[in-house]
Amino acid sequence: MVNTKAESFRKRFSVGCRHIFGRTAKERTFNIILYAVFVIFLAIMLLPFVYVIVESFRSQELVNGVPTEIWSFAAYEAVLGGSESILRALGNTLFVTIVGTLFAVALTMVGAYPLSRRGLKGRSALLIYVLITMLFSGGLIPFYLLIRNVLHLTDSYAVYILIGAASAFNVFIVKGYYQGISEELHEAAALDGAGEFQIFMLVYLPLSKPIIATIALWIAVGKWNDYMTGLLYIKSQDKLLIQNVLRGMLSQATNTSGMGGSSDQMALSESIKMAAVIISLIPIMCVYPFVQKYFTKGVMLGSVKG
């Protein structure tokens, strides 16, 4: 009985190897080299992440006057528990990311639908207008004056949400996705008496989950990693986002690693930097697996037609 099971296992293993590596010697050689190259590239990509994770748990303490390496959560405690500003910044970033993403996705979907309808009057001129905004910019100083002197959005949460809400690139991607939806669906809904708004809400929007997930991920990552907006337009410390606060903590940790810092701060300076990086990555890494199945499909379908 044991020999029968062992023989069955060897057969299944042999069939699996032939399926993976090929049947002939040439196929096996080629596949083995190909897999080896992929493994090497995977190791190269994962090595920085592993290094950051390991260093975030590594610190030093004095044992009988001798610096000794230990493993602890001291860096995370210093980042998360050292100040209320980090928790407040996390709350600000979550609020801005959620509200800003919902607003930008809604604006993009509504703006792209009319541009996807070939019967729209002035469609070509509107497409050129949107394209120009993607190719040319007014410049940083005029944009800063617009935000501060005209719109009066400085030092408010609205500046995080409104800046970048309408992306021409996202509009073109969603427009291409809409054009990939069968025209017969639009005609059938129109024959049933549905207006354009009803067709958009009841036909096109339910079929747009892949592209919604795709652009929502892009926008959310951009909002979460937003650093320049807080640097340029926010003065109040209680309205800063996580990236601005972490940048300040990194600068402080770098300064304490030189002269004048305490021994505990100097020992934790490098670990604090790595812990800050991990903390800023965790939310996006938690969201990505849930939208990954839509991501590739949305990008491919949205880029098929222009």
Side-chain angles (χ1 to χ4, degrees):
M1 185 67 179
V2 177
N3 293 334
T4 303
K5 289 184 178 180
E7 185 66 24
S8 177
F9 174 77
R10 283 194 295 268
K11 288 182 178 179
R12 289 197 300 269
F13 180 77
S14 178
V15 171
C17 289
R18 286 197 301 270
H19 179 72
I20 295 174
F21 296 104
R23 297 180 179 276
T24 65
K26 184 181 294 186
E27 290 179 350
R28 287 194 293 269
T29 302
F30 175 79
N31 289 333
I32 289 173
I33 294 174
L34 184 64
Y35 291 146
V37 171
F38 281 140
V39 169
I40 292 173
F41 275 105
L42 179 62
I44 292 173
M45 289 186 291
L46 289 179
L47 186 60
F49 293 99
V50 174
Y51 172 79
V52 170
I53 294 173
V54 170
E55 288 297 321
S56 67
F57 291 102
R58 182 182 296 172
S59 60
Q60 291 183 351
E61 67 177 11
L62 295 178
V63 179
N64 297 326
V66 179
T68 304
E69 184 176 282
I70 62 172
W71 298 86
S72 68
F73 291 92
Y76 291 94
E77 293 174 358
V79 173
L80 295 176
S83 174
E84 293 182 358
S85 61
I86 188 70
L87 299 178
R88 184 169 56 246
L90 280 172
N92 293 339
T93 308
L94 286 173
F95 171 77
V96 168
T97 300
I98 294 173
V99 176
T101 300
L102 292 175
F103 179 73
V105 169
L107 198 63
T108 302
M109 304 300 289
V110 172
Y113 177 73
L115 296 176
S116 67
R117 307 307 308 155
R118 300 189 183 277
L120 177 68
K121 294 182 179 180
R123 176 174 177 268
S124 299
L126 290 174
L127 287 175
I128 293 175
Y129 177 78
V130 175
L131 180 63
I132 289 175
T133 64
M134 185 171 64
L135 299 178
F136 302 99
S137 172
L140 180 60
I141 294 178
F143 189 74
Y144 177 80
L145 294 177
L146 173 67
I147 296 297
R148 189 188 67 175
N149 298 338
V150 179
L151 300 178
H152 303 288
L153 294 177
T154 54
D155 207 26
S156 67
Y157 292 110
V159 71
Y160 291 118
I161 297 171
L162 294 180
I163 289 181
S167 170
F169 177 79
N170 290 342
V171 169
F172 276 104
I173 291 293
V174 177
K175 179 186 77 70
Y177 182 88
Y178 283 153
Q179 290 179 336
I181 297 176
S182 177
E183 186 68 20
E184 283 75 11
L185 294 175
H186 183 278
E187 295 175 357
L191 290 174
D192 290 337
E196 289 293 343
F197 182 76
Q198 291 177 310
I199 294 174
F200 169 70
M201 293 297 295
L202 302 177
V203 178
Y204 280 77
L205 203 59
L207 297 175
S208 302
K209 291 181 181 179
I211 199 65
I212 291 176
T214 300
I215 65 172
L217 180 63
W218 291 344
I219 296 170
V221 171
K223 294 294 183 183
W224 184 268
N225 293 327
D226 189 4
Y227 172 74
M228 291 300 298
T229 302
L231 182 66
L232 294 175
Y233 306 111
I234 302 299
K235 299 178 181 179
S236 303
Q237 294 295 317
D238 59 345
K239 294 180 181 178
L240 291 175
L241 300 186
I242 185 67
Q243 301 300 335
N244 300 99
V245 175
L246 290 179
R247 181 66 182 86
M249 297 185 67
L250 291 178
S251 299
Q252 183 179 3
T254 302
N255 293 333
T256 57
S257 63
M259 298 298 294
S262 66
S263 59
D264 293 337
Q265 291 175 327
M266 292 173 63
L268 282 175
S269 61
E270 192 67 22
S271 299
I272 289 176
K273 296 178 186 179
M274 302 306 171
V277 172
I278 295 298
I279 291 173
S280 65
L281 286 176
I282 286 176
I284 298 300
M285 293 177 65
C286 292
V287 172
Y288 183 77
F290 297 99
V291 298
Q292 182 181 10
K293 62 180 180 179
Y294 299 111
F295 185 77
T296 304
K297 182 179 178 182
V299 172
M300 294 300 295
L301 292 178
S303 61
V304 170
K305 296 186 178 182

